[in-house]
Amino acid sequence: MKVLATYNIKGGVGKTSTAVNLAYLCAREGRRTLLWDLDPQGAATYVFRVRPKVRGGGKALVTRAQPLGAVVKATDYDGLDLVPADFSYRNMDLDLDDTTKRTRRLRQLLHTVADDYDVVFLDCPPSVSLVSENVLHAVDTLLVPLIPAALSLRTFEQLVRFVADSGGSPEMVAFFSMADRRKRLHRDVIDAIPRDGARVAHTVIPSLAMIEQMAQRREPVPAFAPTSRAAQCYGELWAEVCPR
Amino acid sequence: MSSPTPTIQPYDGAAHLDLPSVAAALSSRFDVHPGVRRSVRRVHLDTFDRRLARAGLTLVQCTAGSPAPTGSTAQLVLTRTRGSAVGPPSAVAEVPDTGLRWPALVGALPPGPLRDQLQPVIGIRALMAVADQRRQVRRIELRNADAKTVVRLELDEPAASSATAASATASPASVTVLPLRGYPEPARRAARILTDLGADLGQGRTHGAERPAGVLVGPGAPAPFDGTAPGRTLLARELAEFATAMRETLPGLVDDVDTEFLHDFRVAVRRTRSTLKLGRDALPAEFPSRWEPEFRWLGDLTTPVRDLDVYQLDLPAMAGWLVAAEPSALEPLAAHLDRRRTTARRTLLRGVRSPRFERLMTQWQQALTDLDQQPSEPRPDSVADERPPVSARRLAHRDIAGAFRRVARDGRAITPQSPGEALHDLRKRCKELRYALEVFAPVTDPALSRRAVKDLKSVQDVLGRFQDAEVQRHALGECAAAMMAGGTPAEAVLAMGELTARLETAQRRARAEFDPAFARLIRPASAERMRRLGGNR
């Protein structure tokens, strides 16, 4: 089982859009796919029309009072399941802090469903926290969407240091999201990002209305607009990062 | 531990299972969204010996449209069954509809999770079409207030205009409830509503897939047989089964579907030969002289191709033995084996298409029919065979005791100085004992028989490894000579030399393992088992 996470300290950079669309494409290939919406805001859960409720809340999962597999919900798409968000995830740091191996608990929980899935996606909240450390120790690949702005580069550098300091060793793949190539600043940032700290994907996800429509339509982009440029871009991104 | 995977409970259809009635019944609790009705062709796939079915799996190639439009894709859907229930797909692969032709080996499937799951189950056997159905299918989604699909139904009806001979026996309309993980209650509710509609719970419907005729599914539990009945009758039954196996594997052998058709054919021939030998005292007097040479001819006819098959199957693993040479150095050997196999198969096919073979199969079948219809007691006026019939149990005791005596005698005579031929001969004696235990299993104690076969197996494994290594060493030598004469590069021959050395080591290791393995076979507990199976002789 391979684990990928969409993660950035900053919010609103395209983590959920990426997680939702890549998970959909992954399942469409025939791989058994699970998406865990770790963000208490529950955006991915909303897109998939699942109620944001986990029996016993995040604490029950972390303490194993509730098996992870018992809270999985099938989405409307064959081969794609979801662990929904729950508002109680806002306290997951506190719940994790009370456990033994507090930075490895997420990995342990994912191990319990390893026989059921080929690929797991984690849609992470924008934070630097114990949840984030758990993610770093659980994933094989960390997907980092970046908006092409100067501050994003600074955030990216902080993230590279955070990953290095955490002791986890995921592959980091940064990619530009919500990019507008008409803006010179965006072009300059895309060209200027250092490529020695982490891999930078060739694919750039543009700022497109079709992607924003996901929340309105409550479907992944390749599901409702399979021939759109947005779907094509996510397909290219998936081709770059999908586990072999 | 993850929650159980949802299972599908099929509902076999009555005439009232159509879309309007189903939708009307469910609309009070759900938002019913019927999909488009589509024609589907379902080709059910499995190996000749039904390995997928035995592993609790079903593999179906589903093609939309009948006939499928040009350039369409088919889905290969692998599903796990649990009793009468079918789980959700465990793997799906898309293939171009014209891209796959059956039978096909697993390597022909597109790489991915489906192929990865199939490989360990079907191994080197080819997938074949075991059933082919054309249906009209409509998926119905039942949604909640959030427009989330919470359960799916599949309404499956026979194709409306099927003109095939199978249409009269086509499965009736059915509705399958497909629960979604995490939504058990909606599925239960839908099932209750359908039950109220009058649908009955199905019993293991698998889309009408039929078991192909004559599937070889391994020994299984032997059918019971009265031990006091004539031994001839038991032997006739066993010989008839072997004849059936030969007939049914022959087409796959001729078409070279996979290597196991020839292997299974040869096993049936070997068992026939052993049974003829075991039954000399019980079968008609003319049987040995009439039939033993013919089946010996048949066995010899099939040996060269089988030896080459084994070699080709082992070659990838043998490439991993190389230390000095690169695996690619064996490519000339692989090509040489291919050429030799092509030539050997031509000889084999000439043989199985020859009048001699045709006569053998036809006349043997007739002889078995006559044998089965012979009276159990010799007629007063019979001149052909006046020997009183030996009972099956007595024959079993005599043959098993005799076979074990020969194994024990020949095995004890083997010393460190014994030539390889002595171990080859012992291997044949062990096979005869093994076949005796299997043939007479219906009239011997089953637990004793199973233990005896297990005791024997370890010696057979060692002797098999010993002989296989020797055969392969000699074959390598012959191949090397032929290839050098043809100008094969030195690196290929050197690589083959490495293989020869490894085989020599393997043969010596097997020889060293023989003594303790044989000692275990003739240890008091094991010998006692054989004695009891042999009627305490």
Side-chain angles (χ1 to χ4, degrees), chain B residues 37 39 134-136 157-163 167:
Chain B
R37 190 169 65 180
S39 300
R134 293 173 197 275
R135 310 286 294 179
Q136 297 280 332
E157 298 167 291
S161 58
S162 173
S167 62

Side-chain angles (χ1 to χ4, degrees), chain A residues 51 69 73-74 76 116-117, chain B residues 2-3 146 148 152 181-182:
Chain A
R51 289 184 186 158
K73 300 286 188 190
D76 288 4
D116 295 344
Y117 297 102
Chain B
S2 58
S3 61
D146 295 325
K148 170 78 179 72
R152 289 196 182 101
R181 186 168 185 172

Side-chain angles (χ1 to χ4, degrees), chain A residues 5 11 34 38-39 54 58 61 82-83 91 97 102 105 109 121 123 163 174 208 210-211 214 220 225 233-234:
Chain A
L34 177 67
L38 283 165
D39 191 339
V54 170
L61 291 177
L82 177 79
V83 175
N91 297 321
D97 204 28
R102 50 206 278 275
R105 181 48 59 100
L109 294 179
F121 288 84
D123 184 18
V163 172
L208 293 168
M210 196 67 72
I211 299 173
M214 278 173 59
C233 288
Y234 279 112

Side-chain angles (χ1 to χ4, degrees), chain A residues 149-170:
Chain A
L151 288 177
S152 297
L153 296 186
R154 180 170 175 273
T155 306
F156 180 60
E157 287 163 10
Q158 288 176 326
L159 179 55
V160 171
R161 281 198 298 275
F162 176 50
V163 172
D165 292 343
S166 71
S169 58

Side-chain angles (χ1 to χ4, degrees), chain B residues 320-514:
Chain B
W321 297 350
L322 296 173
V323 175
E326 291 294 323
S328 58
L330 291 178
E331 284 168 11
L333 173 62
H336 178 78
L337 291 173
D338 267 341
R339 287 191 295 272
R340 282 185 59 176
R341 187 180 187 271
T342 301
T343 305
R345 262 194 57 84
R346 275 201 289 270
T347 306
L348 169 62
L349 291 180
R350 270 200 301 274
V352 298
R353 288 171 178 155
S354 66
R356 181 178 181 180
F357 179 78
E358 182 68 35
R359 272 196 309 274
L360 167 58
M361 299 306 282
T362 308
Q363 293 176 4
W364 177 237
Q365 188 60 49
Q366 187 59 52
L368 291 178
T369 304
D370 293 343
L371 190 63
D372 191 47
Q373 290 170 354
Q374 277 188 358
S376 55
E377 295 290 338
R379 297 194 304 276
D381 60 345
S382 167
V383 297
D385 187 344
E386 296 181 354
R387 294 174 295 174
V390 179
S391 75
R393 187 164 292 121
R394 191 163 167 224
L395 187 64
H397 290 163
R398 188 191 302 172
D399 281 348
I400 291 172
F404 181 65
R405 265 200 307 276
R406 288 188 288 278
V407 166
R409 177 198 66 205
D410 289 3
R412 284 192 182 101
I414 288 175
T415 67
Q417 290 74 39
S418 296
E421 199 58 38
L423 282 94
H424 301 329
D425 288 341
L426 178 62
R427 189 182 182 205
K428 290 180 196 170
R429 302 289 87 77
C430 286
K431 276 189 184 174
E432 288 164 2
L433 174 57
R434 174 84 173 262
Y435 289 148
L437 289 167
E438 289 175 353
V439 162
F440 293 114
V443 295
T444 55
D445 182 293
L448 271 182
S449 183
R450 272 196 304 274
R451 284 303 307 272
V453 167
K454 194 176 169 189
D455 291 339
L456 185 55
K457 198 172 177 306
S458 57
V459 174
Q460 284 189 285
D461 284 347
V462 168
L463 292 173
R465 280 188 280 121
F466 180 88
Q467 183 171 15
D468 287 349
E470 183 160 307
V471 165
Q472 288 184 324
R473 263 196 317 117
H474 287 143
L476 268 177
E478 286 176 6
C479 287
M483 289 162 67
M484 284 170 66
T488 293
E491 64 179 2
V493 180
L494 287 171
M496 291 161 71
E498 275 197 65
L499 296 185
T500 304
R502 178 75 180 243
L503 288 167
E504 169 77 24
T505 304
Q507 191 176 7
R508 287 188 190 190
R509 191 181 310 123
R511 179 62 187 88
E513 291 174 17
F514 167 75

Side-chain angles (χ1 to χ4, degrees), chain A residues 28-32 48-51 67 69-70 72-78 81 112-113 116-118 218, chain B residues 1-3 5 89-92 94 113 117 139 141 143-150 152 180-183:
Chain A
R28 201 174 69 176
E29 281 180 355
R31 302 187 200 216
R32 299 167 301 167
F48 285 117
R49 302 177 184 270
V50 175
R51 289 184 186 158
V72 171
K73 300 286 188 190
T75 67
D76 288 4
Y77 309 102
D78 288 340
D81 290 346
T112 64
V113 296
D116 295 344
Y117 297 102
D118 302 311
R218 301 179 81 176
Chain B
M1 183 186 297
S2 58
S3 61
T5 307
S90 62
V92 178
E94 302 272 339
Q117 289 184 46
R139 184 170 270 196
E141 291 185 347
R143 298 178 186 172
N144 63 12
D146 295 325
K148 170 78 179 72
T149 302
V150 292
R152 289 196 182 101
L180 294 187
R181 186 168 185 172
Y183 297 95

Side-chain angles (χ1 to χ4, degrees), chain B residues 221-227 229 233-234 237-238 241 392-393 440-444 446:
Chain B
F225 190 87
D226 179 3
T233 309
L234 174 61
R237 186 178 85 175
E238 299 287 318
E241 281 184 20
R393 187 164 292 121
F440 293 114
V443 295
T444 55

